[in-house]
Amino acid sequence: MIYTEMTKKAMRIAYHYHHGQLDKSDIPYIFHPIHLAEQMEDELTTTVALLHDLVEDTACTEADLRRHGFPDEVVEAVMLLTHDEAVPYLDYVRAMKGNRLATAVKLADLAHNSDTTRLDYGNIKEARLAKYREARRILQIANERRRALQRTAGRSARRRRQQRPRPRRNRRGIAHEAAR
């Protein structure tokens, strides 16, 4: 877990709103967002992981998140992770694939929700698991494309730096007057 002022605030707020909620195995629900947050690699994804189910599963609203001072990119990701039942599930997943924060958290969420050992009744419906597999596939492809674009952008920036003329320097490392 990454501990910053923002992640600690998110932890307290998630605990407050999820207080008393239980998952399908009668485990306090707060362990689910904490489990996801522990897998995240930066402050923003950790914060989104802690808050990801608040608007969908509690009385917390987008306005509440903003009132608590969370940055726009965190609130936007949380809202993308909030499934409106009127929207078909895979359309909901496709809508978040352009958002790095939402994608990272949703991939961890799908993995945790697909863990058949997590629930006592042990019989997560195959249709639900298939839906989760397809959602993971959509988001993994989006992640791969994002990484490829970042690598391409990184190579282009390196090439531009390499193409800049460098001033000639003498043995002491002082730039030549002609090069200035």
Side-chain angles (χ1 to χ4, degrees):
M1 177 86 72
I2 295 170
Y3 293 96
T4 65
E5 288 306 312
M6 183 166 51
T7 62
K8 288 188 256 184
K9 176 171 51 174
M11 204 178 304
R12 286 189 294 274
I13 291 167
Y15 180 81
H16 169 77
Y17 279 101
H18 287 303
H19 185 74
Q21 287 184 331
L22 301 174
D23 70 10
K24 293 176 180 166
S25 292
D26 290 331
I27 304 293
Y29 192 81
I30 190 64
F31 291 118
H32 171 64
I34 288 173
H35 177 77
L36 302 189
E38 289 175 337
Q39 299 172 57
M40 298 299 120
E41 297 180 0
D42 59 52
E43 178 184 40
L44 293 174
T45 53
T46 301
T47 302
V48 172
L50 289 163
L51 302 174
H52 83 279
D53 276 337
L54 285 186
V55 176
E56 185 173 329
D57 295 339
T58 74
C60 185
T61 66
E62 178 180 357
D64 292 330
L65 295 176
R66 291 189 188 287
R67 189 173 38 78
H68 284 295
F70 290 106
D72 289 342
E73 58 195 322
V74 167
V75 176
E76 179 184 330
V78 171
M79 296 315 295
L80 285 168
L81 288 160
T82 301
H83 183 208
D84 177 348
E85 293 297 324
V87 176
Y89 186 77
L90 293 178
D91 290 344
Y92 147 76
V93 171
R94 287 183 193 97
M96 75 178 70
K97 71 182 183 180
N99 185 293
R100 177 188 73 83
L101 304 177
T103 299
V105 172
K106 189 62 179 176
L107 283 168
D109 187 39
L110 289 164
H112 198 223
N113 290 341
S114 298
D115 181 355
T116 57
T117 65
R118 181 175 159 226
L119 304 173
D120 288 340
Y121 60 85
N123 62 350
I124 297 176
K125 302 277 189 270
E126 182 53 39
R128 178 172 288 203
L129 291 174
K131 179 173 69 171
Y132 290 168
R133 280 192 296 273
E134 178 61 13
R136 272 197 311 271
R137 187 189 71 73
I138 290 166
L139 295 175
Q140 287 167 339
I141 289 170
N143 262 352
E144 290 167 12
R145 287 182 180 155
R146 187 174 9 267
R147 285 190 203 108
L149 285 172
Q150 288 170 341
R151 282 192 302 272
T152 302
R155 282 193 297 269
S156 296
R158 278 193 298 280
R159 270 191 232 112
R160 283 193 302 276
R161 281 193 304 272
Q162 291 168 353
Q163 291 171 352
R164 279 189 227 140
R166 296 182 187 239
R168 292 182 43 198
R169 299 185 179 278
N170 66 17
R171 283 183 286 178
R172 293 186 187 144
I174 300 172
H176 239 345
E177 288 298 321
R180 285 187 184 176

PDB file of all heavy atoms in Angstrom, residues 125-158:
ATOM      1  N   LYS A 125     -21.032 -18.198 -11.267  1.00  0.00           N
ATOM      2  CA  LYS A 125     -21.595 -18.667 -12.533  1.00  0.00           C
ATOM      3  C   LYS A 125     -20.569 -18.540 -13.662  1.00  0.00           C
ATOM      4  O   LYS A 125     -19.860 -17.550 -13.771  1.00  0.00           O
ATOM      5  CB  LYS A 125     -22.843 -17.859 -12.880  1.00  0.00           C
ATOM      6  CG  LYS A 125     -23.923 -17.905 -11.827  1.00  0.00           C
ATOM      7  CD  LYS A 125     -24.767 -19.146 -11.992  1.00  0.00           C
ATOM      8  CE  LYS A 125     -25.986 -19.143 -11.124  1.00  0.00           C
ATOM      9  NZ  LYS A 125     -25.825 -19.723  -9.842  1.00  0.00           N
ATOM     10  N   GLU A 126     -20.505 -19.568 -14.494  1.00  0.00           N
ATOM     11  CA  GLU A 126     -19.574 -19.576 -15.617  1.00  0.00           C
ATOM     12  C   GLU A 126     -19.810 -18.388 -16.542  1.00  0.00           C
ATOM     13  O   GLU A 126     -18.865 -17.811 -17.077  1.00  0.00           O
ATOM     14  CB  GLU A 126     -19.662 -20.900 -16.385  1.00  0.00           C
ATOM     15  CG  GLU A 126     -18.695 -21.012 -17.547  1.00  0.00           C
ATOM     16  CD  GLU A 126     -17.231 -20.745 -17.187  1.00  0.00           C
ATOM     17  OE1 GLU A 126     -16.772 -21.158 -16.110  1.00  0.00           O
ATOM     18  OE2 GLU A 126     -16.530 -20.109 -18.019  1.00  0.00           O
ATOM     19  N   ALA A 127     -21.048 -17.990 -16.716  1.00  0.00           N
ATOM     20  CA  ALA A 127     -21.357 -16.844 -17.578  1.00  0.00           C
ATOM     21  C   ALA A 127     -20.701 -15.582 -17.029  1.00  0.00           C
ATOM     22  O   ALA A 127     -20.177 -14.752 -17.788  1.00  0.00           O
ATOM     23  CB  ALA A 127     -22.862 -16.650 -17.691  1.00  0.00           C
ATOM     24  N   ARG A 128     -20.713 -15.418 -15.715  1.00  0.00           N
ATOM     25  CA  ARG A 128     -20.075 -14.251 -15.097  1.00  0.00           C
ATOM     26  C   ARG A 128     -18.562 -14.316 -15.293  1.00  0.00           C
ATOM     27  O   ARG A 128     -17.928 -13.309 -15.624  1.00  0.00           O
ATOM     28  CB  ARG A 128     -20.411 -14.178 -13.615  1.00  0.00           C
ATOM     29  CG  ARG A 128     -19.726 -13.007 -12.927  1.00  0.00           C
ATOM     30  CD  ARG A 128     -20.204 -12.848 -11.534  1.00  0.00           C
ATOM     31  NE  ARG A 128     -21.568 -12.337 -11.620  1.00  0.00           N
ATOM     32  CZ  ARG A 128     -22.172 -11.672 -10.656  1.00  0.00           C
ATOM     33  NH1 ARG A 128     -21.552 -11.449  -9.532  1.00  0.00           N
ATOM     34  NH2 ARG A 128     -23.387 -11.229 -10.813  1.00  0.00           N
ATOM     35  N   LEU A 129     -17.972 -15.478 -15.113  1.00  0.00           N
ATOM     36  CA  LEU A 129     -16.527 -15.624 -15.317  1.00  0.00           C
ATOM     37  C   LEU A 129     -16.153 -15.347 -16.769  1.00  0.00           C
ATOM     38  O   LEU A 129     -15.135 -14.702 -17.040  1.00  0.00           O
ATOM     39  CB  LEU A 129     -16.063 -17.018 -14.896  1.00  0.00           C
ATOM     40  CG  LEU A 129     -16.111 -17.299 -13.391  1.00  0.00           C
ATOM     41  CD1 LEU A 129     -15.776 -18.758 -13.117  1.00  0.00           C
ATOM     42  CD2 LEU A 129     -15.173 -16.379 -12.636  1.00  0.00           C
ATOM     43  N   ALA A 130     -16.986 -15.798 -17.708  1.00  0.00           N
ATOM     44  CA  ALA A 130     -16.728 -15.542 -19.127  1.00  0.00           C
ATOM     45  C   ALA A 130     -16.808 -14.044 -19.418  1.00  0.00           C
ATOM     46  O   ALA A 130     -15.985 -13.493 -20.162  1.00  0.00           O
ATOM     47  CB  ALA A 130     -17.717 -16.310 -19.990  1.00  0.00           C
ATOM     48  N   LYS A 131     -17.776 -13.375 -18.823  1.00  0.00           N
ATOM     49  CA  LYS A 131     -17.924 -11.925 -18.988  1.00  0.00           C
ATOM     50  C   LYS A 131     -16.681 -11.215 -18.432  1.00  0.00           C
ATOM     51  O   LYS A 131     -16.157 -10.292 -19.057  1.00  0.00           O
ATOM     52  CB  LYS A 131     -19.189 -11.471 -18.254  1.00  0.00           C
ATOM     53  CG  LYS A 131     -19.461 -10.001 -18.302  1.00  0.00           C
ATOM     54  CD  LYS A 131     -20.811  -9.650 -17.695  1.00  0.00           C
ATOM     55  CE  LYS A 131     -20.822  -9.853 -16.199  1.00  0.00           C
ATOM     56  NZ  LYS A 131     -22.051  -9.323 -15.570  1.00  0.00           N
ATOM     57  N   TYR A 132     -16.194 -11.653 -17.285  1.00  0.00           N
ATOM     58  CA  TYR A 132     -14.988 -11.065 -16.695  1.00  0.00           C
ATOM     59  C   TYR A 132     -13.755 -11.327 -17.561  1.00  0.00           C
ATOM     60  O   TYR A 132     -12.898 -10.466 -17.704  1.00  0.00           O
ATOM     61  CB  TYR A 132     -14.754 -11.593 -15.283  1.00  0.00           C
ATOM     62  CG  TYR A 132     -15.740 -11.108 -14.245  1.00  0.00           C
ATOM     63  CD1 TYR A 132     -15.798 -11.691 -13.000  1.00  0.00           C
ATOM     64  CD2 TYR A 132     -16.642 -10.064 -14.502  1.00  0.00           C
ATOM     65  CE1 TYR A 132     -16.683 -11.247 -12.025  1.00  0.00           C
ATOM     66  CE2 TYR A 132     -17.530  -9.614 -13.547  1.00  0.00           C
ATOM     67  CZ  TYR A 132     -17.541 -10.214 -12.302  1.00  0.00           C
ATOM     68  OH  TYR A 132     -18.424  -9.775 -11.348  1.00  0.00           O
ATOM     69  N   ARG A 133     -13.663 -12.527 -18.149  1.00  0.00           N
ATOM     70  CA  ARG A 133     -12.523 -12.826 -19.041  1.00  0.00           C
ATOM     71  C   ARG A 133     -12.523 -11.889 -20.242  1.00  0.00           C
ATOM     72  O   ARG A 133     -11.485 -11.371 -20.648  1.00  0.00           O
ATOM     73  CB  ARG A 133     -12.563 -14.291 -19.500  1.00  0.00           C
ATOM     74  CG  ARG A 133     -12.031 -15.271 -18.482  1.00  0.00           C
ATOM     75  CD  ARG A 133     -11.818 -16.652 -19.082  1.00  0.00           C
ATOM     76  NE  ARG A 133     -13.053 -17.272 -19.537  1.00  0.00           N
ATOM     77  CZ  ARG A 133     -13.870 -17.993 -18.769  1.00  0.00           C
ATOM     78  NH1 ARG A 133     -13.581 -18.190 -17.492  1.00  0.00           N
ATOM     79  NH2 ARG A 133     -14.964 -18.530 -19.267  1.00  0.00           N
ATOM     80  N   GLU A 134     -13.700 -11.664 -20.825  1.00  0.00           N
ATOM     81  CA  GLU A 134     -13.801 -10.763 -21.981  1.00  0.00           C
ATOM     82  C   GLU A 134     -13.460  -9.331 -21.567  1.00  0.00           C
ATOM     83  O   GLU A 134     -12.759  -8.619 -22.298  1.00  0.00           O
ATOM     84  CB  GLU A 134     -15.202 -10.829 -22.593  1.00  0.00           C
ATOM     85  CG  GLU A 134     -15.405  -9.902 -23.765  1.00  0.00           C
ATOM     86  CD  GLU A 134     -14.492 -10.147 -24.962  1.00  0.00           C
ATOM     87  OE1 GLU A 134     -13.828 -11.205 -25.034  1.00  0.00           O
ATOM     88  OE2 GLU A 134     -14.434  -9.265 -25.842  1.00  0.00           O
ATOM     89  N   ALA A 135     -13.903  -8.908 -20.417  1.00  0.00           N
ATOM     90  CA  ALA A 135     -13.577  -7.564 -19.923  1.00  0.00           C
ATOM     91  C   ALA A 135     -12.061  -7.422 -19.730  1.00  0.00           C
ATOM     92  O   ALA A 135     -11.469  -6.403 -20.116  1.00  0.00           O
ATOM     93  CB  ALA A 135     -14.310  -7.292 -18.613  1.00  0.00           C
ATOM     94  N   ARG A 136     -11.435  -8.447 -19.152  1.00  0.00           N
ATOM     95  CA  ARG A 136      -9.966  -8.414 -18.972  1.00  0.00           C
ATOM     96  C   ARG A 136      -9.264  -8.324 -20.324  1.00  0.00           C
ATOM     97  O   ARG A 136      -8.306  -7.575 -20.491  1.00  0.00           O
ATOM     98  CB  ARG A 136      -9.490  -9.657 -18.216  1.00  0.00           C
ATOM     99  CG  ARG A 136      -9.509  -9.474 -16.723  1.00  0.00           C
ATOM    100  CD  ARG A 136      -8.670 -10.496 -15.973  1.00  0.00           C
ATOM    101  NE  ARG A 136      -8.891 -11.872 -16.354  1.00  0.00           N
ATOM    102  CZ  ARG A 136      -9.807 -12.670 -15.813  1.00  0.00           C
ATOM    103  NH1 ARG A 136     -10.614 -12.221 -14.884  1.00  0.00           N
ATOM    104  NH2 ARG A 136      -9.938 -13.904 -16.200  1.00  0.00           N
ATOM    105  N   ARG A 137      -9.757  -9.080 -21.308  1.00  0.00           N
ATOM    106  CA  ARG A 137      -9.148  -9.055 -22.636  1.00  0.00           C
ATOM    107  C   ARG A 137      -9.221  -7.646 -23.232  1.00  0.00           C
ATOM    108  O   ARG A 137      -8.225  -7.122 -23.737  1.00  0.00           O
ATOM    109  CB  ARG A 137      -9.849 -10.063 -23.561  1.00  0.00           C
ATOM    110  CG  ARG A 137      -9.185 -10.241 -24.910  1.00  0.00           C
ATOM    111  CD  ARG A 137     -10.033 -11.083 -25.850  1.00  0.00           C
ATOM    112  NE  ARG A 137     -11.221 -10.385 -26.295  1.00  0.00           N
ATOM    113  CZ  ARG A 137     -11.233  -9.371 -27.190  1.00  0.00           C
ATOM    114  NH1 ARG A 137     -10.118  -8.946 -27.720  1.00  0.00           N
ATOM    115  NH2 ARG A 137     -12.363  -8.795 -27.536  1.00  0.00           N
ATOM    116  N   ILE A 138     -10.378  -7.012 -23.145  1.00  0.00           N
ATOM    117  CA  ILE A 138     -10.559  -5.658 -23.678  1.00  0.00           C
ATOM    118  C   ILE A 138      -9.576  -4.691 -23.021  1.00  0.00           C
ATOM    119  O   ILE A 138      -8.906  -3.892 -23.691  1.00  0.00           O
ATOM    120  CB  ILE A 138     -12.015  -5.182 -23.454  1.00  0.00           C
ATOM    121  CG1 ILE A 138     -12.968  -5.964 -24.360  1.00  0.00           C
ATOM    122  CG2 ILE A 138     -12.149  -3.680 -23.669  1.00  0.00           C
ATOM    123  CD1 ILE A 138     -14.438  -5.813 -23.989  1.00  0.00           C
ATOM    124  N   LEU A 139      -9.475  -4.751 -21.698  1.00  0.00           N
ATOM    125  CA  LEU A 139      -8.621  -3.807 -20.968  1.00  0.00           C
ATOM    126  C   LEU A 139      -7.128  -4.110 -21.148  1.00  0.00           C
ATOM    127  O   LEU A 139      -6.315  -3.188 -21.204  1.00  0.00           O
ATOM    128  CB  LEU A 139      -8.999  -3.794 -19.489  1.00  0.00           C
ATOM    129  CG  LEU A 139     -10.413  -3.274 -19.202  1.00  0.00           C
ATOM    130  CD1 LEU A 139     -10.742  -3.403 -17.726  1.00  0.00           C
ATOM    131  CD2 LEU A 139     -10.584  -1.846 -19.687  1.00  0.00           C
ATOM    132  N   GLN A 140      -6.781  -5.384 -21.269  1.00  0.00           N
ATOM    133  CA  GLN A 140      -5.374  -5.731 -21.495  1.00  0.00           C
ATOM    134  C   GLN A 140      -4.907  -5.254 -22.861  1.00  0.00           C
ATOM    135  O   GLN A 140      -3.798  -4.752 -23.004  1.00  0.00           O
ATOM    136  CB  GLN A 140      -5.163  -7.239 -21.327  1.00  0.00           C
ATOM    137  CG  GLN A 140      -5.223  -7.656 -19.877  1.00  0.00           C
ATOM    138  CD  GLN A 140      -5.329  -9.159 -19.687  1.00  0.00           C
ATOM    139  OE1 GLN A 140      -5.731  -9.901 -20.587  1.00  0.00           O
ATOM    140  NE2 GLN A 140      -4.988  -9.623 -18.496  1.00  0.00           N
ATOM    141  N   ILE A 141      -5.753  -5.375 -23.867  1.00  0.00           N
ATOM    142  CA  ILE A 141      -5.403  -4.861 -25.206  1.00  0.00           C
ATOM    143  C   ILE A 141      -5.208  -3.352 -25.133  1.00  0.00           C
ATOM    144  O   ILE A 141      -4.247  -2.810 -25.693  1.00  0.00           O
ATOM    145  CB  ILE A 141      -6.494  -5.241 -26.241  1.00  0.00           C
ATOM    146  CG1 ILE A 141      -6.437  -6.746 -26.520  1.00  0.00           C
ATOM    147  CG2 ILE A 141      -6.333  -4.435 -27.525  1.00  0.00           C
ATOM    148  CD1 ILE A 141      -7.620  -7.275 -27.330  1.00  0.00           C
ATOM    149  N   ALA A 142      -6.098  -2.659 -24.426  1.00  0.00           N
ATOM    150  CA  ALA A 142      -5.966  -1.201 -24.277  1.00  0.00           C
ATOM    151  C   ALA A 142      -4.651  -0.849 -23.578  1.00  0.00           C
ATOM    152  O   ALA A 142      -3.957   0.088 -23.977  1.00  0.00           O
ATOM    153  CB  ALA A 142      -7.155  -0.644 -23.497  1.00  0.00           C
ATOM    154  N   ASN A 143      -4.294  -1.604 -22.541  1.00  0.00           N
ATOM    155  CA  ASN A 143      -3.028  -1.364 -21.828  1.00  0.00           C
ATOM    156  C   ASN A 143      -1.827  -1.582 -22.739  1.00  0.00           C
ATOM    157  O   ASN A 143      -0.868  -0.809 -22.712  1.00  0.00           O
ATOM    158  CB  ASN A 143      -2.911  -2.283 -20.608  1.00  0.00           C
ATOM    159  CG  ASN A 143      -3.309  -1.600 -19.338  1.00  0.00           C
ATOM    160  OD1 ASN A 143      -3.544  -0.403 -19.303  1.00  0.00           O
ATOM    161  ND2 ASN A 143      -3.381  -2.365 -18.275  1.00  0.00           N
ATOM    162  N   GLU A 144      -1.864  -2.644 -23.539  1.00  0.00           N
ATOM    163  CA  GLU A 144      -0.757  -2.932 -24.457  1.00  0.00           C
ATOM    164  C   GLU A 144      -0.596  -1.812 -25.479  1.00  0.00           C
ATOM    165  O   GLU A 144       0.519  -1.397 -25.779  1.00  0.00           O
ATOM    166  CB  GLU A 144      -0.981  -4.276 -25.156  1.00  0.00           C
ATOM    167  CG  GLU A 144      -0.827  -5.466 -24.226  1.00  0.00           C
ATOM    168  CD  GLU A 144      -1.350  -6.761 -24.818  1.00  0.00           C
ATOM    169  OE1 GLU A 144      -1.626  -6.812 -26.039  1.00  0.00           O
ATOM    170  OE2 GLU A 144      -1.495  -7.727 -24.048  1.00  0.00           O
ATOM    171  N   ARG A 145      -1.705  -1.317 -25.996  1.00  0.00           N
ATOM    172  CA  ARG A 145      -1.644  -0.202 -26.960  1.00  0.00           C
ATOM    173  C   ARG A 145      -1.085   1.054 -26.309  1.00  0.00           C
ATOM    174  O   ARG A 145      -0.296   1.774 -26.904  1.00  0.00           O
ATOM    175  CB  ARG A 145      -3.029   0.071 -27.541  1.00  0.00           C
ATOM    176  CG  ARG A 145      -3.461  -0.993 -28.509  1.00  0.00           C
ATOM    177  CD  ARG A 145      -4.803  -0.702 -29.109  1.00  0.00           C
ATOM    178  NE  ARG A 145      -5.156  -1.761 -30.037  1.00  0.00           N
ATOM    179  CZ  ARG A 145      -6.387  -2.077 -30.368  1.00  0.00           C
ATOM    180  NH1 ARG A 145      -7.403  -1.408 -29.856  1.00  0.00           N
ATOM    181  NH2 ARG A 145      -6.615  -3.049 -31.211  1.00  0.00           N
ATOM    182  N   ARG A 146      -1.519   1.329 -25.074  1.00  0.00           N
ATOM    183  CA  ARG A 146      -1.031   2.511 -24.355  1.00  0.00           C
ATOM    184  C   ARG A 146       0.483   2.411 -24.135  1.00  0.00           C
ATOM    185  O   ARG A 146       1.217   3.355 -24.349  1.00  0.00           O
ATOM    186  CB  ARG A 146      -1.770   2.653 -23.016  1.00  0.00           C
ATOM    187  CG  ARG A 146      -1.455   3.922 -22.276  1.00  0.00           C
ATOM    188  CD  ARG A 146      -2.259   4.175 -21.008  1.00  0.00           C
ATOM    189  NE  ARG A 146      -3.107   3.131 -20.486  1.00  0.00           N
ATOM    190  CZ  ARG A 146      -4.398   2.973 -20.761  1.00  0.00           C
ATOM    191  NH1 ARG A 146      -5.009   3.797 -21.574  1.00  0.00           N
ATOM    192  NH2 ARG A 146      -5.093   1.988 -20.228  1.00  0.00           N
ATOM    193  N   ARG A 147       0.958   1.234 -23.738  1.00  0.00           N
ATOM    194  CA  ARG A 147       2.405   1.035 -23.527  1.00  0.00           C
ATOM    195  C   ARG A 147       3.180   1.191 -24.838  1.00  0.00           C
ATOM    196  O   ARG A 147       4.260   1.781 -24.862  1.00  0.00           O
ATOM    197  CB  ARG A 147       2.673  -0.334 -22.908  1.00  0.00           C
ATOM    198  CG  ARG A 147       2.330  -0.397 -21.452  1.00  0.00           C
ATOM    199  CD  ARG A 147       2.848  -1.696 -20.819  1.00  0.00           C
ATOM    200  NE  ARG A 147       2.077  -1.971 -19.638  1.00  0.00           N
ATOM    201  CZ  ARG A 147       1.175  -2.943 -19.518  1.00  0.00           C
ATOM    202  NH1 ARG A 147       0.948  -3.765 -20.519  1.00  0.00           N
ATOM    203  NH2 ARG A 147       0.513  -3.109 -18.406  1.00  0.00           N
ATOM    204  N   ALA A 148       2.632   0.660 -25.928  1.00  0.00           N
ATOM    205  CA  ALA A 148       3.299   0.780 -27.226  1.00  0.00           C
ATOM    206  C   ALA A 148       3.404   2.240 -27.633  1.00  0.00           C
ATOM    207  O   ALA A 148       4.447   2.689 -28.133  1.00  0.00           O
ATOM    208  CB  ALA A 148       2.543  -0.023 -28.284  1.00  0.00           C
ATOM    209  N   LEU A 149       2.348   3.011 -27.421  1.00  0.00           N
ATOM    210  CA  LEU A 149       2.378   4.446 -27.738  1.00  0.00           C
ATOM    211  C   LEU A 149       3.403   5.171 -26.869  1.00  0.00           C
ATOM    212  O   LEU A 149       4.119   6.058 -27.348  1.00  0.00           O
ATOM    213  CB  LEU A 149       0.999   5.070 -27.548  1.00  0.00           C
ATOM    214  CG  LEU A 149      -0.025   4.745 -28.618  1.00  0.00           C
ATOM    215  CD1 LEU A 149      -1.402   5.246 -28.211  1.00  0.00           C
ATOM    216  CD2 LEU A 149       0.385   5.332 -29.959  1.00  0.00           C
ATOM    217  N   GLN A 150       3.482   4.799 -25.596  1.00  0.00           N
ATOM    218  CA  GLN A 150       4.460   5.431 -24.705  1.00  0.00           C
ATOM    219  C   GLN A 150       5.884   5.108 -25.152  1.00  0.00           C
ATOM    220  O   GLN A 150       6.755   5.971 -25.130  1.00  0.00           O
ATOM    221  CB  GLN A 150       4.241   4.983 -23.258  1.00  0.00           C
ATOM    222  CG  GLN A 150       3.002   5.568 -22.642  1.00  0.00           C
ATOM    223  CD  GLN A 150       2.656   4.940 -21.298  1.00  0.00           C
ATOM    224  OE1 GLN A 150       3.106   3.846 -20.965  1.00  0.00           O
ATOM    225  NE2 GLN A 150       1.837   5.639 -20.533  1.00  0.00           N
ATOM    226  N   ARG A 151       6.116   3.852 -25.556  1.00  0.00           N
ATOM    227  CA  ARG A 151       7.458   3.474 -26.037  1.00  0.00           C
ATOM    228  C   ARG A 151       7.809   4.257 -27.292  1.00  0.00           C
ATOM    229  O   ARG A 151       8.925   4.756 -27.438  1.00  0.00           O
ATOM    230  CB  ARG A 151       7.528   1.967 -26.301  1.00  0.00           C
ATOM    231  CG  ARG A 151       7.676   1.131 -25.054  1.00  0.00           C
ATOM    232  CD  ARG A 151       8.030  -0.308 -25.390  1.00  0.00           C
ATOM    233  NE  ARG A 151       7.055  -0.954 -26.250  1.00  0.00           N
ATOM    234  CZ  ARG A 151       5.971  -1.607 -25.820  1.00  0.00           C
ATOM    235  NH1 ARG A 151       5.714  -1.691 -24.541  1.00  0.00           N
ATOM    236  NH2 ARG A 151       5.144  -2.168 -26.676  1.00  0.00           N
ATOM    237  N   THR A 152       6.851   4.380 -28.213  1.00  0.00           N
ATOM    238  CA  THR A 152       7.074   5.125 -29.447  1.00  0.00           C
ATOM    239  C   THR A 152       7.372   6.588 -29.142  1.00  0.00           C
ATOM    240  O   THR A 152       8.307   7.173 -29.690  1.00  0.00           O
ATOM    241  CB  THR A 152       5.851   5.026 -30.373  1.00  0.00           C
ATOM    242  OG1 THR A 152       5.610   3.644 -30.648  1.00  0.00           O
ATOM    243  CG2 THR A 152       6.067   5.762 -31.671  1.00  0.00           C
ATOM    244  N   ALA A 153       6.588   7.178 -28.240  1.00  0.00           N
ATOM    245  CA  ALA A 153       6.810   8.580 -27.855  1.00  0.00           C
ATOM    246  C   ALA A 153       8.176   8.734 -27.197  1.00  0.00           C
ATOM    247  O   ALA A 153       8.879   9.718 -27.444  1.00  0.00           O
ATOM    248  CB  ALA A 153       5.706   9.056 -26.923  1.00  0.00           C
ATOM    249  N   GLY A 154       8.566   7.783 -26.384  1.00  0.00           N
ATOM    250  CA  GLY A 154       9.873   7.831 -25.718  1.00  0.00           C
ATOM    251  C   GLY A 154      11.012   7.749 -26.714  1.00  0.00           C
ATOM    252  O   GLY A 154      12.004   8.475 -26.616  1.00  0.00           O
ATOM    253  N   ARG A 155      10.875   6.873 -27.721  1.00  0.00           N
ATOM    254  CA  ARG A 155      11.923   6.759 -28.752  1.00  0.00           C
ATOM    255  C   ARG A 155      12.022   8.036 -29.561  1.00  0.00           C
ATOM    256  O   ARG A 155      13.113   8.500 -29.889  1.00  0.00           O
ATOM    257  CB  ARG A 155      11.641   5.562 -29.661  1.00  0.00           C
ATOM    258  CG  ARG A 155      12.017   4.228 -29.034  1.00  0.00           C
ATOM    259  CD  ARG A 155      12.025   3.121 -30.068  1.00  0.00           C
ATOM    260  NE  ARG A 155      10.723   2.885 -30.649  1.00  0.00           N
ATOM    261  CZ  ARG A 155       9.827   2.026 -30.185  1.00  0.00           C
ATOM    262  NH1 ARG A 155      10.094   1.317 -29.129  1.00  0.00           N
ATOM    263  NH2 ARG A 155       8.663   1.871 -30.792  1.00  0.00           N
ATOM    264  N   SER A 156      10.873   8.640 -29.888  1.00  0.00           N
ATOM    265  CA  SER A 156      10.880   9.885 -30.665  1.00  0.00           C
ATOM    266  C   SER A 156      11.571  10.998 -29.889  1.00  0.00           C
ATOM    267  O   SER A 156      12.348  11.765 -30.454  1.00  0.00           O
ATOM    268  CB  SER A 156       9.455  10.312 -31.001  1.00  0.00           C
ATOM    269  OG  SER A 156       8.850   9.352 -31.832  1.00  0.00           O
ATOM    270  N   ALA A 157      11.300  11.091 -28.609  1.00  0.00           N
ATOM    271  CA  ALA A 157      11.926  12.137 -27.780  1.00  0.00           C
ATOM    272  C   ALA A 157      13.434  11.914 -27.710  1.00  0.00           C
ATOM    273  O   ALA A 157      14.211  12.874 -27.783  1.00  0.00           O
ATOM    274  CB  ALA A 157      11.316  12.135 -26.389  1.00  0.00           C
ATOM    275  N   ARG A 158      13.859  10.653 -27.576  1.00  0.00           N
ATOM    276  CA  ARG A 158      15.305  10.363 -27.537  1.00  0.00           C
ATOM    277  C   ARG A 158      15.961  10.750 -28.854  1.00  0.00           C
ATOM    278  O   ARG A 158      17.047  11.321 -28.874  1.00  0.00           O
ATOM    279  CB  ARG A 158      15.542   8.884 -27.225  1.00  0.00           C
ATOM    280  CG  ARG A 158      15.469   8.554 -25.762  1.00  0.00           C
ATOM    281  CD  ARG A 158      16.017   7.161 -25.470  1.00  0.00           C
ATOM    282  NE  ARG A 158      15.275   6.103 -26.130  1.00  0.00           N
ATOM    283  CZ  ARG A 158      14.126   5.602 -25.692  1.00  0.00           C
ATOM    284  NH1 ARG A 158      13.574   6.060 -24.595  1.00  0.00           N
ATOM    285  NH2 ARG A 158      13.521   4.633 -26.345  1.00  0.00           N
TER     286      ARG A 158
END
